[in-house]
Amino acid sequence: MPVKYKLVETDGDAFHSDHWAIEILEGECEGLTYQYDTVQFNEEGDQAVLDFHTITIDNPKENDLTSDNVIGIMGDILVDIIETQLREMKENGDGTTDTETSTE
């Protein structure tokens, strides 16, 4: 289970002004706000590995964003976002999430 987080609008102050940002709400990274820049799945042997890069918007506690712990926290949040979107698409039955309009 990831730490508590919320999706926040960037108000044009981010590299990807048309993407939501993530703000971490608890723990050692509380206040850290960032966006996922690139996200991809890579094959390593017979396993898929999630690889991502982020863009930092705010880092008030000056966390070391290259530490395994912080990368793990951001990775857990990314997995939660992906799983939530897949669940919503399945529940809606038309391949859309609650933020999209069906084209049917």
Side-chain angles (χ1 to χ4, degrees):
M1 173 112 178
V3 297
K4 290 183 183 177
Y5 67 92
K6 68 178 178 178
L7 300 177
V8 294
E9 291 190 49
T10 59
D11 298 325
D13 60 352
F15 183 78
H16 295 293
S17 60
D18 59 338
H19 294 181
W20 291 86
I22 290 85
E23 180 182 353
I24 298 178
L25 301 175
E26 65 182 6
E28 72 177 86
C29 296
E30 183 176 357
L32 175 62
T33 305
Y34 64 96
Q35 291 179 310
Y36 293 100
D37 185 27
T38 58
V39 176
Q40 61 189 51
F41 291 93
N42 296 315
E43 286 186 47
E44 289 188 11
D46 60 348
Q47 295 186 10
V49 176
L50 184 58
D51 185 31
F52 61 90
H53 297 274
T54 61
I55 298 171
T56 306
I57 296 171
D58 191 20
N59 186 5
K61 292 185 176 181
E62 298 183 7
N63 294 92
D64 176 3
L65 303 180
T66 62
S67 76
D68 289 342
N69 192 45
V70 174
I71 291 170
I73 290 169
M74 292 188 291
D76 289 346
I77 291 171
L78 180 56
V79 168
D80 186 63
I81 291 169
I82 291 169
E83 288 176 345
T84 299
Q85 293 297 308
L86 290 172
R87 188 172 40 256
E88 287 180 7
M89 289 171 61
K90 183 177 179 180
E91 289 171 0
N92 290 341
D94 59 7
T96 64
T97 64
D98 63 359
T99 60
E100 297 177 302
T101 304
S102 175
T103 57
E104 296 179 5

